[in-house]
Amino acid sequence: MKRPRKVIVIGGGLGGLWAALRVAEAGHQVDIFSLFEVKRSHSVCAQGGINACFDTKGERDSVWQHIVDTLKGGAYLANQPPVKSMCEEAPGLIRTFERMGVTFSRTAEGLMDLRLFGGVKNRRTVFAGASTGQQLLYGVDQEVRRQEALGRVQKYEWWEFLSLVKDGQGVCKGIVAMNLRTMDVKSFRADAVILASGGMGQVFGHRSTNSTNSTGTAACRVYQQGAWFANSEFFQFHPTAMLGDDKTRLMSEAARGEGGRIWVPKDPSDRRKATQIPEHERLYFLEDWFPSYGNTVPRDVASRAIWKVIHEMGLGVGGEDKVYLDLTHLNPGFIEQRLHAILDIYRKFHGADPVHEPMEIYPSAHYAMGGLWVDFENDKTDGGMKPGSPRNHATNIPGLYACGECDYGYHGANRLGANSLLSASFSGRVAGEAVSNYLKGLQDELQAVPEQRFNDEIARQRTINKQLTETQGKENPYTLHHELGEIMSSQVGVVRDNTTLQEALSSLQDLEQRSQAVSLRETNTWSNQALVFTRQLQDMIKLGQVITASALARDECRGAHYKPAFELTQPKDAYPGDPAYEAYREAWKQQNEKWLKTTITEQSDSGPLISFQPVDLSVLPPEEPRDYR
Amino acid sequence: MMDKTIDLDIRRQDTPYSPPYWQGFSIPYREGHNVVSALMAIRELPITRNGDRVDPVAWEFNCMEEVCGACSMIINGHPRQACSTLIDTLEQPIRLEPLSKFPIVRDLMVDRSRIFSDLKKVRAWIEIDGAWDIHEGAPRISPEAWKENYLYSRCMSCGCCMEACPQYGPEKVFVGPASLAAVRLMNNHPTGSYLKKQRLHAIMAEGGISDCGNAQNCVRVCPKEIPLTTAIGELGRQSSLQLLRDLFGKSQ
């Protein structure tokens, strides 16, 4: 008789909960590990919506167009079969969410409403007010709670994942984790492990829109145990984030969409209040540089322009790293109605009213397109990803799967707005189904792995904790985190060049050394947050190196990765058919020949080891460059 | 002249089993500080106002955008989210205390797991056949019904309403306003209503709706302005009708 199998899911955001749900529904026992109550996961921060083609707006929208937009938006770097499957299954996924009770916004007829989002022409984004991520997460959270009540799911909230335990063949057979209250380190056996630990924005310090727990630490820990990272150089910077010492908070693209204008005073030493600076002394640089799109250029273009005006032209407001996002010329009643949610965030956290004074904003690290490398099986019958294949979302470590933002699967070199909630949910579901089928093929017994392996790993982790607690170095872990953020956002940020990246790499090595010589200033052995943070910090520094080394290796501009020394410029006033444009197309194809490849990063004693893998382009061969004219 | 400071008095407790004590901290003033960012400044340099080097203050935080519910604490006597509480709006010294209705873990951290077990008790979910596509969605919902439901679906289980409720506490069984509002939300979903009777029975039992003392504190402190008392009022009527149905044997 078959015994029930045990699966560990690390992380309780959209990806993790979807995976847990599907494994539990397949009849297996699931343990969910989370740093906090799963309902507080970073998925709740997504506001705008989730993409799925319903074509209910009379625009002849199609699933194919969703596939094309996603692939082109990602500069063709994503493997195409998984993207095809994701877009095809998006409507079914939304219908499932709807049945879970998610409060999607409605049309007058009671159908799910759709809104327009950046980078696409049709209305394709389902939303729930301005808190779509929160609503989606709560929907799955409720279903998982039901499974918990049925005894199929057990939650280990307030536990931190420390490392994997593998058997003699290198197959993942469990984990070691730390109780964040008692600081007790324990091992847990499992037949498979799914990592759904989310993003890693905290590698960019407080210059990120991510939650404070989005450190990427768990992914970095499995990387150090042999898992590959892929495309880590691709990080999306959101152009309009509100400044803050603790975190930069997102000001939605909608602010520009509704007529917001971005400007700086022509004289950076101008100390007058923004509203007192006359029109002719302002530089509306987006409108000047991009006359046809103006303030509504795509995210990456806007981020680069803001970078240029501040760091190359020295025109940041008051000499600081910020520009104005101005709504004060608009009708107050109109913007209140259209932008209430973000006006409210600004008022609440900045204590100023954007209706009366311009907002101060700066680009901020927002989303990691890259992450843990995961496999997929091509479905020969329809060119998509084969449903249920145990290869889907498997990492290169047997028995370890990854889903959600911590994997690299769906967004290539840049992510479309409202595709992240989709990939998180879809990949979680796929990973759950893949693992259920992986378990069917397992022959061995859970207890087959000798206890010694688990005990050795526990001992190793306890030693790390003990050493860190006892070290009397001179470094402060929180100060080092600020430094890490400064290095990453100023040297590995929106605009990159190889000399600076080299410098960043050596600064990060230096930082790694210093992070070994910290003083925790914490004697309490109960809920020791300084110990937890310092361990995370060391892993964040490692991740910084992975991102930087990958960025250094890629000598081109693609999506969010921008190295002007290797830029291929589109000829002005030339269109397909013109000789100048065709020459550009040819150069673009040659660049693809050389660089349209997945970056793989592997841990080695001498630092991150880079190699490249071909991209599966079987759905939409790259013939047309991106053209936003 | 002394530089401007931010003064905080923090109620601390080293472990769940040790006695509480107060400590005062002063950090340099900075425009734009909120309570979480002030605590971050303290954890980087945990020196009290008297110049004693102490263990950093432990507290919970995550999203920093008032949407995850992690950083609830009592600030100058009021339960609220620390991340969205700007220092400039507070009288100093600012008094920070952990929520009092939940077991203390350490300092400002409390164990709110009871909130989630109570959601289990009231069956705050919709029974679906499985998390797969059945090629049709849920029945249509009018924009008016959506508008009301959406108010309740933003509850982030922060615990502020429970803190403010005189009927909720460690020695009491009352499930509290948030769990009741969750019942209201589930009962008003077209297919969620299939379990309406069971949920009503759950809140007609001990610790349910009859424990509400109508103090109306909950609705005043909810950071998301959820109309909790309206939900409780609606449930009161539904429960009364259910009671009659139970007595006279009418189905649903």
Side-chain angles (χ1 to χ4, degrees), chain B residues 213-245:
Chain B
N214 202 23
Q216 314 226 353
N217 289 358
C218 53
V219 70
R220 282 192 283 269
V221 299
C222 175
K224 291 295 161 190
E225 296 170 355
I226 296 171
L228 295 160
T229 44
T230 311
I232 294 172
E234 279 179 42
L235 289 174
R237 281 190 298 280
Q238 287 181 17
S239 308
S240 306
L241 286 172
Q242 187 60 47
L243 189 67
L244 292 173
R245 286 196 188 101

mmCIF file of all heavy atoms in Angstrom, chain B residues 213-245:
data_model
loop_
_atom_site.group_PDB
_atom_site.id
_atom_site.type_symbol
_atom_site.label_atom_id
_atom_site.label_comp_id
_atom_site.label_asym_id
_atom_site.label_seq_id
_atom_site.Cartn_x
_atom_site.Cartn_y
_atom_site.Cartn_z
ATOM 1 N N GLY B 213 -20.822 43.173 23.155
ATOM 2 C CA GLY B 213 -21.470 44.051 24.111
ATOM 3 C C GLY B 213 -21.877 45.376 23.507
ATOM 4 O O GLY B 213 -22.271 46.288 24.215
ATOM 5 N N ASN B 214 -21.741 45.512 22.200
ATOM 6 C CA ASN B 214 -22.133 46.725 21.482
ATOM 7 C C ASN B 214 -21.410 47.980 21.972
ATOM 8 O O ASN B 214 -21.988 49.067 21.984
ATOM 9 C CB ASN B 214 -23.657 46.900 21.551
ATOM 10 C CG ASN B 214 -24.159 47.775 20.418
ATOM 11 O OD1 ASN B 214 -23.487 47.890 19.383
ATOM 12 N ND2 ASN B 214 -25.298 48.409 20.603
ATOM 13 N N ALA B 215 -20.153 47.851 22.360
ATOM 14 C CA ALA B 215 -19.391 49.028 22.792
ATOM 15 C C ALA B 215 -19.002 49.891 21.591
ATOM 16 O O ALA B 215 -18.709 51.074 21.732
ATOM 17 C CB ALA B 215 -18.128 48.584 23.530
ATOM 18 N N GLN B 216 -18.976 49.293 20.415
ATOM 19 C CA GLN B 216 -18.657 49.991 19.164
ATOM 20 C C GLN B 216 -17.227 50.533 19.103
ATOM 21 O O GLN B 216 -16.938 51.417 18.294
ATOM 22 C CB GLN B 216 -19.667 51.123 18.905
ATOM 23 C CG GLN B 216 -21.094 50.695 19.113
ATOM 24 C CD GLN B 216 -22.030 51.147 18.010
ATOM 25 O OE1 GLN B 216 -21.646 51.899 17.125
ATOM 26 N NE2 GLN B 216 -23.246 50.654 18.042
ATOM 27 N N ASN B 217 -16.351 50.025 19.950
ATOM 28 C CA ASN B 217 -14.951 50.455 19.899
ATOM 29 C C ASN B 217 -14.273 49.966 18.622
ATOM 30 O O ASN B 217 -13.415 50.628 18.054
ATOM 31 C CB ASN B 217 -14.158 49.878 21.079
ATOM 32 C CG ASN B 217 -14.551 50.514 22.386
ATOM 33 O OD1 ASN B 217 -15.385 51.415 22.394
ATOM 34 N ND2 ASN B 217 -13.972 50.044 23.476
ATOM 35 N N CYS B 218 -14.659 48.753 18.185
ATOM 36 C CA CYS B 218 -13.978 48.102 17.070
ATOM 37 C C CYS B 218 -13.988 48.990 15.825
ATOM 38 O O CYS B 218 -12.963 49.219 15.190
ATOM 39 C CB CYS B 218 -14.636 46.754 16.771
ATOM 40 S SG CYS B 218 -16.425 46.819 16.521
ATOM 41 N N VAL B 219 -15.160 49.506 15.509
ATOM 42 C CA VAL B 219 -15.300 50.269 14.273
ATOM 43 C C VAL B 219 -14.513 51.577 14.334
ATOM 44 O O VAL B 219 -14.061 52.106 13.325
ATOM 45 C CB VAL B 219 -16.798 50.479 13.944
ATOM 46 C CG1 VAL B 219 -17.441 51.453 14.924
ATOM 47 C CG2 VAL B 219 -17.006 50.888 12.513
ATOM 48 N N ARG B 220 -14.283 52.063 15.541
ATOM 49 C CA ARG B 220 -13.525 53.311 15.678
ATOM 50 C C ARG B 220 -12.030 53.118 15.476
ATOM 51 O O ARG B 220 -11.336 54.035 15.057
ATOM 52 C CB ARG B 220 -13.789 53.932 17.064
ATOM 53 C CG ARG B 220 -15.135 54.653 17.141
ATOM 54 C CD ARG B 220 -15.235 55.489 18.418
ATOM 55 N NE ARG B 220 -15.518 54.676 19.592
ATOM 56 C CZ ARG B 220 -16.758 54.409 20.032
ATOM 57 N NH1 ARG B 220 -17.799 54.920 19.401
ATOM 58 N NH2 ARG B 220 -16.937 53.658 21.089
ATOM 59 N N VAL B 221 -11.506 51.927 15.803
ATOM 60 C CA VAL B 221 -10.055 51.754 15.701
ATOM 61 C C VAL B 221 -9.606 51.051 14.411
ATOM 62 O O VAL B 221 -8.419 51.029 14.098
ATOM 63 C CB VAL B 221 -9.468 50.957 16.896
ATOM 64 C CG1 VAL B 221 -9.729 51.693 18.195
ATOM 65 C CG2 VAL B 221 -10.014 49.536 16.923
ATOM 66 N N CYS B 222 -10.543 50.479 13.647
ATOM 67 C CA CYS B 222 -10.137 49.705 12.473
ATOM 68 C C CYS B 222 -9.351 50.577 11.497
ATOM 69 O O CYS B 222 -9.859 51.578 11.008
ATOM 70 C CB CYS B 222 -11.355 49.118 11.760
ATOM 71 S SG CYS B 222 -10.882 48.268 10.227
ATOM 72 N N PRO B 223 -8.093 50.205 11.206
ATOM 73 C CA PRO B 223 -7.273 51.045 10.314
ATOM 74 C C PRO B 223 -7.821 51.066 8.879
ATOM 75 O O PRO B 223 -7.485 51.955 8.116
ATOM 76 C CB PRO B 223 -5.890 50.392 10.374
ATOM 77 C CG PRO B 223 -6.096 49.024 10.901
ATOM 78 C CD PRO B 223 -7.353 49.049 11.723
ATOM 79 N N LYS B 224 -8.642 50.095 8.541
ATOM 80 C CA LYS B 224 -9.189 50.040 7.180
ATOM 81 C C LYS B 224 -10.624 50.546 7.135
ATOM 82 O O LYS B 224 -11.307 50.397 6.123
ATOM 83 C CB LYS B 224 -9.098 48.598 6.651
ATOM 84 C CG LYS B 224 -7.666 48.151 6.404
ATOM 85 C CD LYS B 224 -7.044 48.972 5.277
ATOM 86 C CE LYS B 224 -5.533 48.904 5.309
ATOM 87 N NZ LYS B 224 -4.904 49.851 4.392
ATOM 88 N N GLU B 225 -11.090 51.108 8.244
ATOM 89 C CA GLU B 225 -12.442 51.665 8.327
ATOM 90 C C GLU B 225 -13.506 50.675 7.861
ATOM 91 O O GLU B 225 -14.426 51.017 7.122
ATOM 92 C CB GLU B 225 -12.523 52.981 7.541
ATOM 93 C CG GLU B 225 -11.633 54.046 8.155
ATOM 94 C CD GLU B 225 -11.477 55.284 7.281
ATOM 95 O OE1 GLU B 225 -11.980 55.281 6.153
ATOM 96 O OE2 GLU B 225 -10.841 56.235 7.764
ATOM 97 N N ILE B 226 -13.362 49.431 8.289
ATOM 98 C CA ILE B 226 -14.338 48.400 7.941
ATOM 99 C C ILE B 226 -15.560 48.574 8.853
ATOM 100 O O ILE B 226 -15.408 48.727 10.067
ATOM 101 C CB ILE B 226 -13.708 46.999 8.115
ATOM 102 C CG1 ILE B 226 -12.539 46.850 7.124
ATOM 103 C CG2 ILE B 226 -14.748 45.903 7.905
ATOM 104 C CD1 ILE B 226 -11.701 45.608 7.329
ATOM 105 N N PRO B 227 -16.766 48.592 8.284
ATOM 106 C CA PRO B 227 -17.970 48.820 9.097
ATOM 107 C C PRO B 227 -18.333 47.587 9.931
ATOM 108 O O PRO B 227 -19.341 46.912 9.677
ATOM 109 C CB PRO B 227 -19.046 49.145 8.054
ATOM 110 C CG PRO B 227 -18.565 48.538 6.788
ATOM 111 C CD PRO B 227 -17.069 48.478 6.850
ATOM 112 N N LEU B 228 -17.491 47.297 10.924
ATOM 113 C CA LEU B 228 -17.632 46.059 11.700
ATOM 114 C C LEU B 228 -18.981 45.971 12.409
ATOM 115 O O LEU B 228 -19.602 44.914 12.452
ATOM 116 C CB LEU B 228 -16.489 45.973 12.719
ATOM 117 C CG LEU B 228 -15.100 45.839 12.086
ATOM 118 C CD1 LEU B 228 -14.009 46.244 13.065
ATOM 119 C CD2 LEU B 228 -14.875 44.410 11.606
ATOM 120 N N THR B 229 -19.439 47.099 12.953
ATOM 121 C CA THR B 229 -20.698 47.046 13.708
ATOM 122 C C THR B 229 -21.888 46.802 12.780
ATOM 123 O O THR B 229 -22.861 46.167 13.166
ATOM 124 C CB THR B 229 -20.910 48.343 14.505
ATOM 125 O OG1 THR B 229 -20.582 49.458 13.659
ATOM 126 C CG2 THR B 229 -19.990 48.387 15.724
ATOM 127 N N THR B 230 -21.782 47.306 11.541
ATOM 128 C CA THR B 230 -22.838 47.029 10.564
ATOM 129 C C THR B 230 -22.904 45.524 10.304
ATOM 130 O O THR B 230 -23.990 44.933 10.244
ATOM 131 C CB THR B 230 -22.543 47.765 9.236
ATOM 132 O OG1 THR B 230 -22.229 49.117 9.541
ATOM 133 C CG2 THR B 230 -23.721 47.715 8.299
ATOM 134 N N ALA B 231 -21.736 44.907 10.148
ATOM 135 C CA ALA B 231 -21.691 43.464 9.912
ATOM 136 C C ALA B 231 -22.309 42.718 11.081
ATOM 137 O O ALA B 231 -23.107 41.793 10.901
ATOM 138 C CB ALA B 231 -20.244 43.010 9.719
ATOM 139 N N ILE B 232 -21.970 43.140 12.295
ATOM 140 C CA ILE B 232 -22.485 42.452 13.479
ATOM 141 C C ILE B 232 -24.010 42.621 13.560
ATOM 142 O O ILE B 232 -24.736 41.680 13.879
ATOM 143 C CB ILE B 232 -21.765 42.962 14.751
ATOM 144 C CG1 ILE B 232 -20.279 42.555 14.672
ATOM 145 C CG2 ILE B 232 -22.407 42.395 16.019
ATOM 146 C CD1 ILE B 232 -19.390 43.153 15.749
ATOM 147 N N GLY B 233 -24.486 43.832 13.202
ATOM 148 C CA GLY B 233 -25.924 44.067 13.177
ATOM 149 C C GLY B 233 -26.622 43.135 12.192
ATOM 150 O O GLY B 233 -27.631 42.492 12.513
ATOM 151 N N GLU B 234 -26.064 43.031 10.990
ATOM 152 C CA GLU B 234 -26.645 42.143 9.976
ATOM 153 C C GLU B 234 -26.676 40.697 10.466
ATOM 154 O O GLU B 234 -27.663 39.984 10.291
ATOM 155 C CB GLU B 234 -25.818 42.191 8.685
ATOM 156 C CG GLU B 234 -26.110 43.383 7.787
ATOM 157 C CD GLU B 234 -25.234 43.360 6.535
ATOM 158 O OE1 GLU B 234 -25.048 42.268 5.955
ATOM 159 O OE2 GLU B 234 -24.723 44.436 6.154
ATOM 160 N N LEU B 235 -25.573 40.286 11.080
ATOM 161 C CA LEU B 235 -25.481 38.902 11.549
ATOM 162 C C LEU B 235 -26.468 38.646 12.685
ATOM 163 O O LEU B 235 -26.997 37.548 12.823
ATOM 164 C CB LEU B 235 -24.060 38.586 12.013
ATOM 165 C CG LEU B 235 -23.011 38.467 10.901
ATOM 166 C CD1 LEU B 235 -21.627 38.289 11.515
ATOM 167 C CD2 LEU B 235 -23.328 37.297 9.980
ATOM 168 N N GLY B 236 -26.712 39.692 13.498
ATOM 169 C CA GLY B 236 -27.675 39.561 14.586
ATOM 170 C C GLY B 236 -29.043 39.199 14.030
ATOM 171 O O GLY B 236 -29.706 38.267 14.510
ATOM 172 N N ARG B 237 -29.462 39.919 12.981
ATOM 173 C CA ARG B 237 -30.751 39.619 12.351
ATOM 174 C C ARG B 237 -30.751 38.224 11.750
ATOM 175 O O ARG B 237 -31.667 37.438 11.952
ATOM 176 C CB ARG B 237 -31.063 40.667 11.277
ATOM 177 C CG ARG B 237 -31.586 41.976 11.852
ATOM 178 C CD ARG B 237 -32.101 42.894 10.746
ATOM 179 N NE ARG B 237 -31.056 43.289 9.790
ATOM 180 C CZ ARG B 237 -30.164 44.258 10.031
ATOM 181 N NH1 ARG B 237 -30.179 44.908 11.169
ATOM 182 N NH2 ARG B 237 -29.245 44.569 9.129
ATOM 183 N N GLN B 238 -29.662 37.906 11.010
ATOM 184 C CA GLN B 238 -29.588 36.587 10.372
ATOM 185 C C GLN B 238 -29.654 35.468 11.415
ATOM 186 O O GLN B 238 -30.308 34.447 11.210
ATOM 187 C CB GLN B 238 -28.284 36.454 9.574
ATOM 188 C CG GLN B 238 -28.251 37.263 8.285
ATOM 189 C CD GLN B 238 -26.931 37.059 7.514
ATOM 190 O OE1 GLN B 238 -26.210 36.113 7.766
ATOM 191 N NE2 GLN B 238 -26.643 37.958 6.584
ATOM 192 N N SER B 239 -28.970 35.684 12.547
ATOM 193 C CA SER B 239 -28.962 34.650 13.588
ATOM 194 C C SER B 239 -30.341 34.474 14.197
ATOM 195 O O SER B 239 -30.773 33.353 14.476
ATOM 196 C CB SER B 239 -27.982 35.006 14.709
ATOM 197 O OG SER B 239 -26.734 35.297 14.178
ATOM 198 N N SER B 240 -31.047 35.600 14.410
ATOM 199 C CA SER B 240 -32.397 35.509 14.972
ATOM 200 C C SER B 240 -33.300 34.718 14.041
ATOM 201 O O SER B 240 -34.062 33.839 14.473
ATOM 202 C CB SER B 240 -32.991 36.898 15.191
ATOM 203 O OG SER B 240 -32.116 37.669 15.966
ATOM 204 N N LEU B 241 -33.222 35.021 12.751
ATOM 205 C CA LEU B 241 -34.041 34.294 11.778
ATOM 206 C C LEU B 241 -33.666 32.812 11.779
ATOM 207 O O LEU B 241 -34.537 31.943 11.713
ATOM 208 C CB LEU B 241 -33.844 34.881 10.375
ATOM 209 C CG LEU B 241 -34.525 36.225 10.130
ATOM 210 C CD1 LEU B 241 -34.096 36.802 8.784
ATOM 211 C CD2 LEU B 241 -36.048 36.064 10.170
ATOM 212 N N GLN B 242 -32.337 32.564 11.855
ATOM 213 C CA GLN B 242 -31.881 31.172 11.861
ATOM 214 C C GLN B 242 -32.435 30.433 13.075
ATOM 215 O O GLN B 242 -32.853 29.285 12.970
ATOM 216 C CB GLN B 242 -30.350 31.138 11.854
ATOM 217 C CG GLN B 242 -29.760 29.754 11.693
ATOM 218 C CD GLN B 242 -30.182 29.090 10.387
ATOM 219 O OE1 GLN B 242 -30.132 29.694 9.326
ATOM 220 N NE2 GLN B 242 -30.648 27.848 10.485
ATOM 221 N N LEU B 243 -32.474 31.139 14.188
ATOM 222 C CA LEU B 243 -32.993 30.533 15.424
ATOM 223 C C LEU B 243 -34.453 30.128 15.230
ATOM 224 O O LEU B 243 -34.868 29.029 15.596
ATOM 225 C CB LEU B 243 -32.863 31.539 16.568
ATOM 226 C CG LEU B 243 -33.160 31.011 17.964
ATOM 227 C CD1 LEU B 243 -32.087 30.000 18.368
ATOM 228 C CD2 LEU B 243 -33.187 32.154 18.976
ATOM 229 N N LEU B 244 -35.232 31.026 14.606
ATOM 230 C CA LEU B 244 -36.645 30.721 14.345
ATOM 231 C C LEU B 244 -36.769 29.524 13.407
ATOM 232 O O LEU B 244 -37.588 28.634 13.614
ATOM 233 C CB LEU B 244 -37.352 31.946 13.741
ATOM 234 C CG LEU B 244 -37.496 33.138 14.704
ATOM 235 C CD1 LEU B 244 -38.054 34.356 13.966
ATOM 236 C CD2 LEU B 244 -38.389 32.764 15.885
ATOM 237 N N ARG B 245 -35.913 29.539 12.362
ATOM 238 C CA ARG B 245 -35.942 28.416 11.421
ATOM 239 C C ARG B 245 -35.607 27.110 12.141
ATOM 240 O O ARG B 245 -36.228 26.083 11.907
ATOM 241 C CB ARG B 245 -34.931 28.641 10.294
ATOM 242 C CG ARG B 245 -35.376 29.681 9.303
ATOM 243 C CD ARG B 245 -34.539 29.589 8.022
ATOM 244 N NE ARG B 245 -34.866 30.720 7.164
ATOM 245 C CZ ARG B 245 -34.123 31.808 7.054
ATOM 246 N NH1 ARG B 245 -32.969 31.895 7.710
ATOM 247 N NH2 ARG B 245 -34.501 32.798 6.291
#
